[in-house]
Amino acid sequence: MNWHEIDRFLMGEAWSGSLIKQHLTKLADVIGPRWGGSPEDRCAAAYIRDQMEIAGVDSADVEPFQLDSWNHGDVSITLPDDNNRSIAALPFLRCKPIDVTTPLIDAGHASPHEVEALGARIKGSIVLSSISPEPFTSAEPFTARIVRLAKAGAACVIAIEPKTGGRMEYANSDEWLNIRPQKDAIAVVKTSSEDGAYLRRIASGSPQVHVSVQSEYIDTEAHNTVAEIKGSTHPERHLILAGHHDTVLNTPGGNDNTSGTIGVMETARVMAALVKEMGVRPGMSIRFATWSGEEQHLQGAKAYVARHYSEAAANQEVKPLLNINLDELSTGHMKGIVLAFPHLRKFMQSQLDTMNDGLKCHVLAHMDAHSDHFPFVEQAIDASITWRWRFWARHEDANFHHETADAANKLNVRELKEYAGQLARLLLRLSYVSPDDWPTNPLTISDVNQMIERDAGGHHPAFH
Ligand SMILES: [Zn+2]
């Protein structure tokens, strides 16, 4: 292997052969928001599959799966008849339908002492709460505070967005790592920072507020895409590079996750070009997947893992040696790889060192269920995310996800070119280490379940 020649080809092709602009325009501007299970989501999957074929991979398919989803209709927060000031309203994801008019009360940050002080007044009321935690107290996820308000009998929660300027992110009311999620427990509607402050000013008069959410739960079909470049030395084993192509409602998801989707497509393209133009195939096979339903509890990646690797699968495959998950790549440039399990740390670092770019390998100290690596982790498959910004070097202008303004201009084109080249170099190196020479994973599925149980419901400061 002439790594110098190969690296030069991969980085050059990632840079000068880039189709990022074409893919970005198609996915984020022409197709637009891609809520899992929607026609747009399906259209994106078909486009990605077609582009994988054009890039020259050995196979490219769309894999349908059943998605447990819902549709949101109108949502509103309205004030008493003599006050027609408009109030911004956005349902939390999977918010149940509600139509209620009751007094509004202000619970501050819904911390324990605040909820206790309000006592029986919470029962049957619409409760206003900041999403940001109470300063100087031990941090507690908002999801845990929602549960506290639900237990105290609140009819509904109005959550105040921490971001200002009218920006509002779609959010979930149940923590994904919760083993017994609180979904459907209580309706939660978000309002803007500015309108929340107004509600707070009038709440002392206990005005009768009307909250209405139209929504319905549905079963629908959604679509993953799976492409592959066959390996030369160990074609029966594989590594997976993947990221979700779906978005939350009403956003084209420039950062979350058109960036990761195009990262998968471009890495596949430059690796396929390496086969065509230099005759260099990976050692093990490389699979390139994009998931739907990430924003709906990781259902796409879960369906893929169940279909391909679970004992119940019709054609159970040998598990991959590693999953690399790409999500929100525009938050920072590629600084390394973060593993879910520790035993590959030295091995991964030694591979990164051969690239001579200062990339670092780190290991998550806790179970992280915030993206599509998690369904692999649950099956005790080695999984990882890319190190982009956490702890330092987050791009402030890329602090966008789950909101309308996460548009195509939030995708950082030049950094994404670098990602594609670096990921291709890394995957090629990893594919040439014989599966027998990879450190064995000592963890079983039951070990992993215990680790999840240990961390469920906790607050992880590195992520907030
Ligand atoms: Zn995402």
Side-chain angles (χ1 to χ4, degrees):
M1 300 289 287
N2 183 338
W3 285 107
H4 177 69
E5 285 293 310
I6 288 168
D7 287 345
R8 192 153 67 169
F9 178 88
L10 292 173
M11 292 310 285
E13 184 58 36
W15 203 269
S16 61
S18 169
L19 295 179
I20 293 172
K21 200 171 147 193
Q22 173 195 318
H23 296 334
L24 179 61
T25 303
K26 177 70 180 185
L27 291 168
D29 293 315
V30 177
I31 297 176
R34 306 179 293 280
W35 180 240
S38 68
E40 293 78 15
D41 173 57
R42 180 179 200 138
C43 182
Y47 174 74
I48 294 161
R49 190 261 324 273
D50 291 351
Q51 290 298 314
M52 289 291 194
E53 265 174 11
I54 292 167
V57 298
D58 296 313
S59 64
D61 295 300
V62 167
E63 292 190 357
F65 65 95
Q66 279 304 111
L67 183 77
D68 170 11
S69 183
W70 70 102
N71 289 324
H72 281 304
D74 291 341
V75 53
S76 63
I77 301 170
T78 35
L79 300 172
D81 287 345
D82 58 345
N83 184 345
N84 54 19
R85 186 192 191 284
S86 73
I87 302 290
L90 203 66
F92 265 45
L93 295 175
R94 213 178 176 83
C95 181
K96 69 177 180 186
I98 187 171
D99 188 52
V100 63
T101 306
T102 78
L104 175 74
I105 63 169
D106 181 5
H109 303 267
S111 54
H113 74 95
E114 289 168 311
V115 171
E116 201 187 312
L118 288 168
R121 286 187 59 207
I122 291 178
K123 201 167 172 54
S125 294
I126 295 172
V127 181
L128 187 63
S129 171
S130 296
I131 291 176
S132 54
E134 185 185 2
F136 306 108
T137 62
S138 51
E140 184 183 35
F142 187 58
T143 50
R145 290 177 275 143
I146 292 174
V147 172
R148 178 172 302 124
L149 292 172
K151 279 188 183 150
C156 155
V157 175
I158 299 178
I160 305 176
E161 168 71 47
K163 287 184 172 172
T164 61
R167 288 171 65 181
M168 290 199 288
E169 289 185 1
Y170 282 93
N172 279 278
S173 57
D174 59 316
E175 188 55 49
W176 293 9
L177 203 50
N178 274 351
I179 293 162
R180 288 163 291 276
Q182 297 292 323
K183 66 184 176 191
D184 310 338
I186 185 168
V188 187
V189 175
K190 179 178 268 198
T191 194
S192 67
S193 164
E194 290 77 9
D195 291 351
Y198 175 70
L199 291 175
R200 187 149 271 167
R201 291 200 295 279
I202 63 171
S204 58
S206 300
Q208 291 276 324
V209 169
H210 177 211
V211 174
S212 165
V213 176
Q214 292 176 351
S215 64
E216 57 165 352
Y217 298 126
I218 53 164
D219 279 328
T220 185
E221 196 178 78
H223 303 84
N224 294 327
T225 74
V226 183
E228 191 170 277
I229 297 178
K230 277 272 166 238
S232 53
T233 58
H234 293 90
E236 75 291 355
R237 298 303 305 271
H238 66 284
L239 309 170
I240 297 195
L241 180 73
H244 69 92
H245 62 248
D246 67 309
T247 65
V248 295
L249 298 158
N250 303 322
T251 171
N255 175 36
D256 184 16
N257 189 30
T258 308
S259 66
T261 301
I262 298 178
V264 173
M265 296 168 80
E266 280 291 280
T267 308
R269 185 185 64 74
V270 300
M271 293 190 82
L274 185 73
V275 177
K276 264 186 297 191
E277 293 183 35
M278 289 185 67
V280 177
R281 277 191 173 274
M284 277 184 265
S285 297
I286 311 288
R287 210 168 274 183
F288 301 92
T290 68
W291 317 125
S292 177
E294 191 268 354
E295 305 291 3
Q296 301 179 49
H297 288 207
L298 318 176
Q299 288 186 63
K302 271 188 186 155
Y304 168 85
V305 168
R307 174 175 170 157
H308 290 264
Y309 310 124
S310 75
E311 277 175 22
N315 294 308
Q316 189 186 4
E317 290 186 75
V318 181
K319 290 175 178 174
L321 282 145
L322 182 69
N323 161 252
I324 300 178
N325 182 57
L326 306 183
D327 204 352
E328 301 195 19
L329 296 186
S330 295
T331 47
H333 68 279
M334 179 151 164
K335 297 196 291 178
I337 294 289
V338 188
L339 299 167
F341 305 136
H343 57 273
L344 290 184
R345 187 201 290 253
K346 260 189 170 167
F347 166 75
M348 177 63 76
Q349 187 63 60
S350 68
Q351 294 298 317
L352 292 173
D353 286 345
T354 68
M355 293 165 66
N356 201 23
D357 283 330
L359 298 173
K360 289 281 176 255
C361 178
H362 292 285
V363 179
L364 285 161
H366 57 82
M367 295 285 99
D368 168 39
H370 286 90
S371 191
D372 290 311
H373 57 289
F374 188 65
F376 291 85
V377 167
E378 285 183 301
Q379 286 293 316
I381 295 169
D382 276 299
S384 61
I385 57 178
T386 51
W387 184 22
R388 295 98 75 208
W389 59 268
R390 278 164 186 162
F391 303 101
W392 71 82
R394 180 181 185 134
H395 299 321
E396 279 310 310
D397 62 352
N399 188 12
F400 286 87
H401 73 173
H402 301 179
E403 60 179 302
T404 310
D406 183 14
N409 67 336
K410 303 308 184 299
L411 182 141
N412 190 324
V413 174
R414 279 177 295 169
E415 282 187 357
L416 196 52
K417 290 182 176 185
E418 186 184 87
Y419 269 102
Q422 298 289 49
L423 289 164
R425 293 173 67 203
L426 176 62
L427 284 166
L428 199 73
R429 282 162 167 79
L430 292 170
S431 78
Y432 271 98
V433 180
S434 164
D436 302 333
D437 294 335
W438 282 57
T440 359
N441 183 349
L443 296 166
T444 63
I445 291 173
S446 100
D447 293 333
V448 174
N449 283 336
Q450 283 177 26
M451 292 156 75
I452 294 168
E453 187 89 48
R454 177 195 70 197
D455 295 344
H459 178 77
H460 305 297
F463 293 86
H464 297 286

